[in-house]
Amino acid sequence: MEADVVILGGGPAGMACALRLAQLIDAHNVVHPDKPLTKENICMLEKSREVGQHCLSGALLDPRAMRELLPGFEKEAPLDAEVTKESVYFLMAKGQRKFPIVPPPLRDHGNYVISLNKFVKWMGQKVEEAGITIFTGFAGSELLWANDSTDWDAARVAGVRTDDKGVDKEGHPKANFEPGYDLRAKVTILAEGTRGNCAKALIDRLGLEDPEHAQTYGQGIKELWEIPMGRVAKGEVIYTLGYPLTSREYGGAWIYGVSDTLISVGYVTGLDYQDPRTDPHHVFQSFKEHPFARRILEGGKMIRYGAKSLPYGGWLTMPRIYGNGWMLLGDSASFLNSQRLKGIHLAMKSGMLAAEAAFKAMLTGDSSAGTLGDYKTAVNESWIHDELWPVRNFHQGFEHGRIEGMVSAAIQQIMRGGVFGPDKTNPPGYTCMRRIDDLGPSDWERAPIVCNAKGDGKLTFDRLTDVFHSGTRHDEDQPVHLVVEDLNLCRERCTREYGNPCQYFCPAAVYEMAESENGGRELKINFTNCVHCKTCDIMDPYQIITWVPPEGGGGPNYDGM
Ligand code: SF4
């Protein structure tokens, strides 16, 4: 199939890109009715069964990008509450301290509490009304290339191949087999979210990431809770630092008042921790047991669960975002402000700017890097740069822990994002993981972080109960979509060196070291639980796990999240 533009991924970045492109074409066709452009050859591929089902975030929306894209959007968009009150707390094991003032980056007046799932569904309707087709249930399994070059300036992306349907677990075609489509496109726009599989392949093949500034990630775990009236007000925002993470780990919690009786509560753990037994799911459960959170949640009911990774690295870790026939957007390209804990507006703006470059390519028939480079120029000249450049060293400043990180953040505030000397470099987060033998005595006393506990079923939950609340569904008779290169390495070397950390960092109980038939233990992969958070692809210490898309349509169902 031939297309002018293919947008891979129907999250906020992809939707904003599609809408802006449709607006530009409509405006062009009014002025140039004699040379109209068509939207028929523009399409979006989305791997979830319905638009928005794989979209997960806290979520707070900074409305800046939306006001540019659809002025007056507030009148009809699904916004749960306008932020009216913020507070920040530092939690100790027994007690908490309220920050006397809310640090400026965490002041959220004017932002909205939203369900990203509902918001993206609404954007999807706008995209379809604008005349752009969204194919749901189709994942991009690989990129199509016009040549074999691995040089950025010579290589050209020629489109996307979608996933095969109807393949059994042995890899054989079933009765309903349908091979994937080759969508040949002049411009391929990758908006797959964090650690997209096609974006990862592109970045690796063309060497787009600077190894001195590797992307770093966090894992966010979220639950929706119904709580008794009077505990958290609609539009109230609470952030916490500290417990249960120690000063060595990066992360913190949020509580957002969706309504007077419904809250979004979650915890982000930086995926650059040292202890291989760190268990982000358990970190969140321990947070809920702290008296501060317990007072809010007790007597309430958890109704939904989800987990995803998010890119923390910011401006310095942004890979090259354009080339011949392709552009990278949103979380796939590091458009997130980790100081403000916000990325939706940046993802949308990146999509809008990419749309302008794609529109120029449609007009001129030239989709080379020369034309699509306008996207990067526009990013550099936009408020994306103004927002991300002054916080470019923020996350990197925490490499030696919380205290140094806060001092570094204060210095950066004075130096407009700078530090003494050159900008900070950082390795990939998985390289920070220490071997079991290297852990000191104090590491073994950190049960709130490393213990994979069962939960009490009221306030805290085990992974399987949580996965049930994520609505995750995959056809069991399909190839395992977590490709582990060397199971012997898992069984022997990883057991010895790192204690199989996949059992702990996966928030969905996918990985399990189970008794094997011939004695001993081997890695069992319960792939149908996978909530597509991509943590295993990111955090495996040997980098031998590759997340590939399961058959399109499979995965979580984040309705209302
Ligand atoms: Fe996340 Fe990997 Fe577990 Fe799936 S298998 S939920 S992508 S860590």
Side-chain angles (χ1 to χ4, degrees), residues 248 274-277 431-444 446 496-499:
R248 280 180 286 176
Q274 296 182 13
D275 189 329
R277 302 158 308 150
T431 62
C432 302
M433 206 182 267
R434 285 157 58 198
R435 295 180 182 198
I436 293 278
D437 286 349
D438 296 338
L439 298 177
S442 65
D443 293 304
W444 297 97
R446 301 193 310 149
R496 204 171 55 244
E497 293 182 341
Y498 293 103

Side-chain angles (χ1 to χ4, degrees), residues 219-241:
Q219 185 194 100
I221 298 198
K222 166 175 171 175
E223 289 174 352
L224 273 184
W225 275 73
E226 289 169 349
I227 55 164
M229 185 83 131
R231 295 190 184 172
V232 177
K234 179 176 177 174
E236 181 172 354
V237 166
I238 301 169
Y239 296 110
T240 77
L241 296 173

Side-chain angles (χ1 to χ4, degrees), residues 333-530:
S334 198
F335 287 102
L336 187 137
N337 182 342
S338 66
Q339 191 192 41
R340 291 184 66 208
L341 309 170
K342 274 170 207 64
I344 300 170
H345 64 301
L346 295 162
M348 287 172 170
K349 181 68 177 176
S350 74
M352 291 157 66
L353 297 176
E356 287 168 18
F359 173 69
K360 185 173 171 195
M362 286 178 73
L363 269 184
T364 60
D366 174 7
S367 57
S368 68
T371 300
L372 300 185
D374 283 10
Y375 167 43
K376 174 65 175 160
T377 309
V379 167
N380 288 350
E381 291 171 356
S382 71
W383 53 256
I384 292 181
H385 177 271
D386 297 344
E387 178 170 339
L388 291 184
W389 181 252
V391 295
R392 64 192 178 281
N393 285 298
F394 179 76
H395 178 66
Q396 288 80 344
F398 285 79
E399 63 180 328
H400 299 300
R402 190 189 298 135
I403 312 281
E404 289 90 335
M406 287 177 133
V407 172
S408 173
I411 294 168
Q412 290 164 42
Q413 199 82 27
I414 299 161
M415 296 176 66
R416 239 201 135 248
V419 289
F420 297 117
D423 284 330
K424 286 181 174 291
T425 57
N426 64 278
Y430 69 87
T431 62
C432 302
M433 206 182 267
R434 285 157 58 198
R435 295 180 182 198
I436 293 278
D437 286 349
D438 296 338
L439 298 177
S442 65
D443 293 304
W444 297 97
E445 291 161 11
R446 301 193 310 149
I449 298 177
V450 302
C451 171
N452 180 0
K454 294 225 174 305
D456 63 9
K458 290 184 185 136
L459 181 69
T460 57
F461 306 94
D462 61 25
R463 286 174 166 82
L464 288 180
T465 305
D466 268 336
V467 170
F468 173 76
H469 286 90
S470 70
T472 298
R473 204 152 43 97
H474 292 94
D475 183 349
E476 296 204 359
D477 190 14
Q478 64 172 302
V480 175
H481 69 277
L482 292 317
V483 181
V484 181
E485 263 169 51
D486 183 354
L487 289 169
N488 285 333
L489 191 152
C490 303
R491 186 170 48 235
E492 289 160 18
R493 197 169 149 204
C494 187
T495 301
R496 204 171 55 244
E497 293 182 341
Y498 293 103
N500 305 109
C502 57
Q503 302 175 99
Y504 306 113
F505 59 57
C506 172
V510 169
Y511 299 100
E512 195 186 328
M513 289 306 288
E515 297 299 322
S516 69
E517 284 168 8
N518 37 7
R521 279 154 37 97
E522 66 184 3
L523 186 66
K524 187 171 162 211
I525 305 175
N526 307 304
F527 75 93
T528 52
N529 291 349
C530 177

Side-chain angles (χ1 to χ4, degrees), residues 47 54 307-309 474 481 530-534 547 550 554-556 558:
K47 69 182 167 68
H54 291 182
K308 87 178 269 270
S309 55
H474 292 94
H481 69 277
C530 177
V531 295
H532 299 198
C533 76
K534 317 286 179 70
W547 185 97
Y558 287 144

Side-chain angles (χ1 to χ4, degrees), residues 23-100:
Q23 290 170 346
L24 290 166
I25 291 171
D26 288 343
H28 166 88
N29 290 350
V30 169
V31 180
H32 302 284
D34 48 324
K35 290 187 220 149
L37 290 172
T38 176
K39 289 178 256 178
E40 276 173 19
N41 297 328
I42 302 172
C43 66
M44 175 183 281
L45 300 176
E46 167 51 43
K47 69 182 167 68
S48 59
R49 282 185 289 277
E50 284 171 33
V51 168
Q53 274 181 317
H54 291 182
C55 287
L56 180 75
S57 182
L60 286 188
L61 175 72
D62 175 333
R64 189 170 187 181
M66 276 310 296
R67 283 188 182 139
E68 292 176 13
L69 183 62
L70 292 173
F73 80 100
E74 287 100 331
K75 287 192 210 94
E76 54 170 315
L79 305 171
D80 288 316
E82 188 170 349
V83 177
T84 49
K85 186 178 172 191
E86 310 97 333
S87 50
V88 183
Y89 291 83
F90 184 81
L91 303 191
M92 292 82 78
K94 295 197 177 79
Q96 69 275 340
R97 289 250 155 76
K98 187 174 179 182
F99 281 35

